[in-house]
Amino acid sequence: MLSVEPSTNELLSLAKAQLLRSLHQQKTKPYLPVWGELFTSLRDIVRHGKQAQENILVYPMRPTGTLWYLYQENQFLADLPDPGITISMTQEQLLDALVKGSFPPLTTDNRSING
């Protein structure tokens, strides 16, 4: 029998898409508030990582790098290979950084990063 409940992978994809949409909205319409959408997206990504007990690739960053959620440490990690820097952050620290425009995604269109 088919389930009408979305799978956890679908929920993760939705959370990532919402995060990217919010970052795009922040860039194109900076006068609109996006804090709540960013918070909700990050919370859902954390929830999925903890439930699945797996690290989550949140998105590739521009110009190079990746943003991860590490479930064992309960932290987000910005991995910037070009200068060889990794930055660990709590959910709140990442939220503040995203609102300030740090750690931009490689792309902010709605077609990117699913799954």
PDB file of all heavy atoms in Angstrom, residues 33-53:
ATOM      1  N   PRO A  33      11.626  39.832   5.108  1.00  0.00           N
ATOM      2  CA  PRO A  33      12.231  39.004   6.161  1.00  0.00           C
ATOM      3  C   PRO A  33      12.321  37.537   5.734  1.00  0.00           C
ATOM      4  O   PRO A  33      11.392  36.997   5.147  1.00  0.00           O
ATOM      5  CB  PRO A  33      11.275  39.169   7.341  1.00  0.00           C
ATOM      6  CG  PRO A  33       9.959  39.502   6.714  1.00  0.00           C
ATOM      7  CD  PRO A  33      10.270  40.258   5.441  1.00  0.00           C
ATOM      8  N   VAL A  34      13.460  36.908   6.025  1.00  0.00           N
ATOM      9  CA  VAL A  34      13.639  35.490   5.678  1.00  0.00           C
ATOM     10  C   VAL A  34      14.093  34.666   6.884  1.00  0.00           C
ATOM     11  O   VAL A  34      14.278  33.465   6.772  1.00  0.00           O
ATOM     12  CB  VAL A  34      14.662  35.302   4.530  1.00  0.00           C
ATOM     13  CG1 VAL A  34      14.158  35.927   3.243  1.00  0.00           C
ATOM     14  CG2 VAL A  34      16.012  35.844   4.901  1.00  0.00           C
ATOM     15  N   TRP A  35      14.262  35.297   8.021  1.00  0.00           N
ATOM     16  CA  TRP A  35      14.807  34.617   9.193  1.00  0.00           C
ATOM     17  C   TRP A  35      14.011  33.360   9.534  1.00  0.00           C
ATOM     18  O   TRP A  35      14.589  32.301   9.774  1.00  0.00           O
ATOM     19  CB  TRP A  35      14.835  35.572  10.390  1.00  0.00           C
ATOM     20  CG  TRP A  35      15.583  35.027  11.554  1.00  0.00           C
ATOM     21  CD1 TRP A  35      16.895  35.219  11.836  1.00  0.00           C
ATOM     22  CD2 TRP A  35      15.060  34.190  12.592  1.00  0.00           C
ATOM     23  NE1 TRP A  35      17.233  34.554  12.988  1.00  0.00           N
ATOM     24  CE2 TRP A  35      16.127  33.903  13.474  1.00  0.00           C
ATOM     25  CE3 TRP A  35      13.816  33.639  12.870  1.00  0.00           C
ATOM     26  CZ2 TRP A  35      15.977  33.118  14.607  1.00  0.00           C
ATOM     27  CZ3 TRP A  35      13.666  32.851  13.995  1.00  0.00           C
ATOM     28  CH2 TRP A  35      14.739  32.597  14.846  1.00  0.00           C
ATOM     29  N   GLY A  36      12.701  33.457   9.554  1.00  0.00           N
ATOM     30  CA  GLY A  36      11.862  32.313   9.933  1.00  0.00           C
ATOM     31  C   GLY A  36      12.004  31.132   8.989  1.00  0.00           C
ATOM     32  O   GLY A  36      12.086  29.984   9.420  1.00  0.00           O
ATOM     33  N   GLU A  37      12.043  31.426   7.696  1.00  0.00           N
ATOM     34  CA  GLU A  37      12.189  30.354   6.708  1.00  0.00           C
ATOM     35  C   GLU A  37      13.554  29.693   6.826  1.00  0.00           C
ATOM     36  O   GLU A  37      13.670  28.472   6.725  1.00  0.00           O
ATOM     37  CB  GLU A  37      11.990  30.891   5.286  1.00  0.00           C
ATOM     38  CG  GLU A  37      10.561  31.255   4.963  1.00  0.00           C
ATOM     39  CD  GLU A  37      10.193  32.678   5.381  1.00  0.00           C
ATOM     40  OE1 GLU A  37      11.044  33.386   5.970  1.00  0.00           O
ATOM     41  OE2 GLU A  37       9.044  33.078   5.143  1.00  0.00           O
ATOM     42  N   LEU A  38      14.595  30.503   7.032  1.00  0.00           N
ATOM     43  CA  LEU A  38      15.934  29.932   7.212  1.00  0.00           C
ATOM     44  C   LEU A  38      15.982  29.054   8.461  1.00  0.00           C
ATOM     45  O   LEU A  38      16.517  27.947   8.429  1.00  0.00           O
ATOM     46  CB  LEU A  38      16.984  31.045   7.304  1.00  0.00           C
ATOM     47  CG  LEU A  38      17.224  31.867   6.041  1.00  0.00           C
ATOM     48  CD1 LEU A  38      18.174  33.026   6.337  1.00  0.00           C
ATOM     49  CD2 LEU A  38      17.754  31.019   4.912  1.00  0.00           C
ATOM     50  N   PHE A  39      15.420  29.541   9.548  1.00  0.00           N
ATOM     51  CA  PHE A  39      15.408  28.784  10.802  1.00  0.00           C
ATOM     52  C   PHE A  39      14.693  27.445  10.617  1.00  0.00           C
ATOM     53  O   PHE A  39      15.199  26.399  11.034  1.00  0.00           O
ATOM     54  CB  PHE A  39      14.739  29.595  11.914  1.00  0.00           C
ATOM     55  CG  PHE A  39      14.608  28.827  13.195  1.00  0.00           C
ATOM     56  CD1 PHE A  39      15.673  28.740  14.068  1.00  0.00           C
ATOM     57  CD2 PHE A  39      13.428  28.173  13.509  1.00  0.00           C
ATOM     58  CE1 PHE A  39      15.556  28.011  15.251  1.00  0.00           C
ATOM     59  CE2 PHE A  39      13.309  27.447  14.676  1.00  0.00           C
ATOM     60  CZ  PHE A  39      14.370  27.361  15.554  1.00  0.00           C
ATOM     61  N   THR A  40      13.525  27.484   9.999  1.00  0.00           N
ATOM     62  CA  THR A  40      12.737  26.267   9.801  1.00  0.00           C
ATOM     63  C   THR A  40      13.488  25.266   8.929  1.00  0.00           C
ATOM     64  O   THR A  40      13.518  24.068   9.234  1.00  0.00           O
ATOM     65  CB  THR A  40      11.380  26.610   9.165  1.00  0.00           C
ATOM     66  OG1 THR A  40      10.697  27.527  10.019  1.00  0.00           O
ATOM     67  CG2 THR A  40      10.526  25.377   8.969  1.00  0.00           C
ATOM     68  N   SER A  41      14.099  25.745   7.866  1.00  0.00           N
ATOM     69  CA  SER A  41      14.847  24.856   6.976  1.00  0.00           C
ATOM     70  C   SER A  41      16.011  24.198   7.705  1.00  0.00           C
ATOM     71  O   SER A  41      16.216  22.985   7.598  1.00  0.00           O
ATOM     72  CB  SER A  41      15.384  25.637   5.777  1.00  0.00           C
ATOM     73  OG  SER A  41      14.342  26.209   5.052  1.00  0.00           O
ATOM     74  N   LEU A  42      16.781  24.991   8.428  1.00  0.00           N
ATOM     75  CA  LEU A  42      17.924  24.436   9.157  1.00  0.00           C
ATOM     76  C   LEU A  42      17.468  23.451  10.224  1.00  0.00           C
ATOM     77  O   LEU A  42      18.082  22.401  10.414  1.00  0.00           O
ATOM     78  CB  LEU A  42      18.755  25.561   9.776  1.00  0.00           C
ATOM     79  CG  LEU A  42      19.473  26.475   8.782  1.00  0.00           C
ATOM     80  CD1 LEU A  42      20.172  27.611   9.523  1.00  0.00           C
ATOM     81  CD2 LEU A  42      20.450  25.704   7.919  1.00  0.00           C
ATOM     82  N   ARG A  43      16.380  23.773  10.914  1.00  0.00           N
ATOM     83  CA  ARG A  43      15.853  22.872  11.939  1.00  0.00           C
ATOM     84  C   ARG A  43      15.460  21.531  11.325  1.00  0.00           C
ATOM     85  O   ARG A  43      15.746  20.459  11.885  1.00  0.00           O
ATOM     86  CB  ARG A  43      14.660  23.513  12.636  1.00  0.00           C
ATOM     87  CG  ARG A  43      14.092  22.643  13.761  1.00  0.00           C
ATOM     88  CD  ARG A  43      12.749  23.107  14.211  1.00  0.00           C
ATOM     89  NE  ARG A  43      11.827  22.961  13.082  1.00  0.00           N
ATOM     90  CZ  ARG A  43      10.697  23.619  12.962  1.00  0.00           C
ATOM     91  NH1 ARG A  43      10.322  24.485  13.868  1.00  0.00           N
ATOM     92  NH2 ARG A  43       9.915  23.415  11.918  1.00  0.00           N
ATOM     93  N   ASP A  44      14.820  21.565  10.156  1.00  0.00           N
ATOM     94  CA  ASP A  44      14.409  20.328   9.499  1.00  0.00           C
ATOM     95  C   ASP A  44      15.617  19.509   9.028  1.00  0.00           C
ATOM     96  O   ASP A  44      15.597  18.277   9.088  1.00  0.00           O
ATOM     97  CB  ASP A  44      13.484  20.623   8.325  1.00  0.00           C
ATOM     98  CG  ASP A  44      12.123  21.148   8.765  1.00  0.00           C
ATOM     99  OD1 ASP A  44      11.783  21.011   9.967  1.00  0.00           O
ATOM    100  OD2 ASP A  44      11.401  21.710   7.916  1.00  0.00           O
ATOM    101  N   ILE A  45      16.664  20.179   8.569  1.00  0.00           N
ATOM    102  CA  ILE A  45      17.886  19.488   8.162  1.00  0.00           C
ATOM    103  C   ILE A  45      18.534  18.818   9.374  1.00  0.00           C
ATOM    104  O   ILE A  45      18.954  17.656   9.309  1.00  0.00           O
ATOM    105  CB  ILE A  45      18.851  20.464   7.460  1.00  0.00           C
ATOM    106  CG1 ILE A  45      18.272  20.861   6.098  1.00  0.00           C
ATOM    107  CG2 ILE A  45      20.245  19.858   7.310  1.00  0.00           C
ATOM    108  CD1 ILE A  45      18.962  22.035   5.430  1.00  0.00           C
ATOM    109  N   VAL A  46      18.588  19.527  10.491  1.00  0.00           N
ATOM    110  CA  VAL A  46      19.137  18.947  11.731  1.00  0.00           C
ATOM    111  C   VAL A  46      18.309  17.740  12.158  1.00  0.00           C
ATOM    112  O   VAL A  46      18.859  16.685  12.499  1.00  0.00           O
ATOM    113  CB  VAL A  46      19.184  20.011  12.854  1.00  0.00           C
ATOM    114  CG1 VAL A  46      19.442  19.379  14.210  1.00  0.00           C
ATOM    115  CG2 VAL A  46      20.235  21.070  12.543  1.00  0.00           C
ATOM    116  N   ARG A  47      17.000  17.876  12.118  1.00  0.00           N
ATOM    117  CA  ARG A  47      16.112  16.786  12.535  1.00  0.00           C
ATOM    118  C   ARG A  47      16.350  15.543  11.678  1.00  0.00           C
ATOM    119  O   ARG A  47      16.448  14.428  12.198  1.00  0.00           O
ATOM    120  CB  ARG A  47      14.654  17.237  12.426  1.00  0.00           C
ATOM    121  CG  ARG A  47      13.673  16.179  12.913  1.00  0.00           C
ATOM    122  CD  ARG A  47      12.237  16.647  12.808  1.00  0.00           C
ATOM    123  NE  ARG A  47      12.042  17.843  13.602  1.00  0.00           N
ATOM    124  CZ  ARG A  47      11.213  18.830  13.267  1.00  0.00           C
ATOM    125  NH1 ARG A  47      10.507  18.772  12.157  1.00  0.00           N
ATOM    126  NH2 ARG A  47      11.084  19.876  14.045  1.00  0.00           N
ATOM    127  N   HIS A  48      16.468  15.730  10.370  1.00  0.00           N
ATOM    128  CA  HIS A  48      16.698  14.588   9.484  1.00  0.00           C
ATOM    129  C   HIS A  48      18.056  13.940   9.780  1.00  0.00           C
ATOM    130  O   HIS A  48      18.153  12.715   9.841  1.00  0.00           O
ATOM    131  CB  HIS A  48      16.636  15.006   8.020  1.00  0.00           C
ATOM    132  CG  HIS A  48      16.946  13.884   7.081  1.00  0.00           C
ATOM    133  ND1 HIS A  48      16.021  12.943   6.736  1.00  0.00           N
ATOM    134  CD2 HIS A  48      18.094  13.525   6.462  1.00  0.00           C
ATOM    135  CE1 HIS A  48      16.571  12.059   5.930  1.00  0.00           C
ATOM    136  NE2 HIS A  48      17.830  12.390   5.743  1.00  0.00           N
ATOM    137  N   GLY A  49      19.098  14.749   9.955  1.00  0.00           N
ATOM    138  CA  GLY A  49      20.420  14.209  10.235  1.00  0.00           C
ATOM    139  C   GLY A  49      20.452  13.385  11.511  1.00  0.00           C
ATOM    140  O   GLY A  49      21.059  12.319  11.566  1.00  0.00           O
ATOM    141  N   LYS A  50      19.767  13.883  12.539  1.00  0.00           N
ATOM    142  CA  LYS A  50      19.731  13.159  13.811  1.00  0.00           C
ATOM    143  C   LYS A  50      18.935  11.865  13.697  1.00  0.00           C
ATOM    144  O   LYS A  50      19.345  10.834  14.216  1.00  0.00           O
ATOM    145  CB  LYS A  50      19.129  14.046  14.905  1.00  0.00           C
ATOM    146  CG  LYS A  50      20.057  15.141  15.364  1.00  0.00           C
ATOM    147  CD  LYS A  50      19.410  15.979  16.444  1.00  0.00           C
ATOM    148  CE  LYS A  50      20.340  17.050  16.945  1.00  0.00           C
ATOM    149  NZ  LYS A  50      19.710  17.889  17.979  1.00  0.00           N
ATOM    150  N   GLN A  51      17.787  11.914  13.014  1.00  0.00           N
ATOM    151  CA  GLN A  51      16.955  10.719  12.873  1.00  0.00           C
ATOM    152  C   GLN A  51      17.644   9.660  12.036  1.00  0.00           C
ATOM    153  O   GLN A  51      17.615   8.477  12.370  1.00  0.00           O
ATOM    154  CB  GLN A  51      15.598  11.078  12.266  1.00  0.00           C
ATOM    155  CG  GLN A  51      14.679  11.786  13.218  1.00  0.00           C
ATOM    156  CD  GLN A  51      13.366  12.198  12.556  1.00  0.00           C
ATOM    157  OE1 GLN A  51      13.223  12.141  11.339  1.00  0.00           O
ATOM    158  NE2 GLN A  51      12.416  12.631  13.372  1.00  0.00           N
ATOM    159  N   ALA A  52      18.258  10.077  10.946  1.00  0.00           N
ATOM    160  CA  ALA A  52      18.922   9.126  10.052  1.00  0.00           C
ATOM    161  C   ALA A  52      20.333   8.792  10.522  1.00  0.00           C
ATOM    162  O   ALA A  52      20.952   7.867  10.000  1.00  0.00           O
ATOM    163  CB  ALA A  52      18.969   9.697   8.632  1.00  0.00           C
ATOM    164  N   GLN A  53      20.826   9.529  11.480  1.00  0.00           N
ATOM    165  CA  GLN A  53      22.197   9.388  11.979  1.00  0.00           C
ATOM    166  C   GLN A  53      23.192   9.402  10.824  1.00  0.00           C
ATOM    167  O   GLN A  53      24.001   8.489  10.658  1.00  0.00           O
ATOM    168  CB  GLN A  53      22.340   8.132  12.826  1.00  0.00           C
ATOM    169  CG  GLN A  53      21.548   8.196  14.107  1.00  0.00           C
ATOM    170  CD  GLN A  53      21.847   7.041  15.033  1.00  0.00           C
ATOM    171  OE1 GLN A  53      22.454   6.042  14.646  1.00  0.00           O
ATOM    172  NE2 GLN A  53      21.435   7.172  16.282  1.00  0.00           N
TER     173      GLN A  53
END
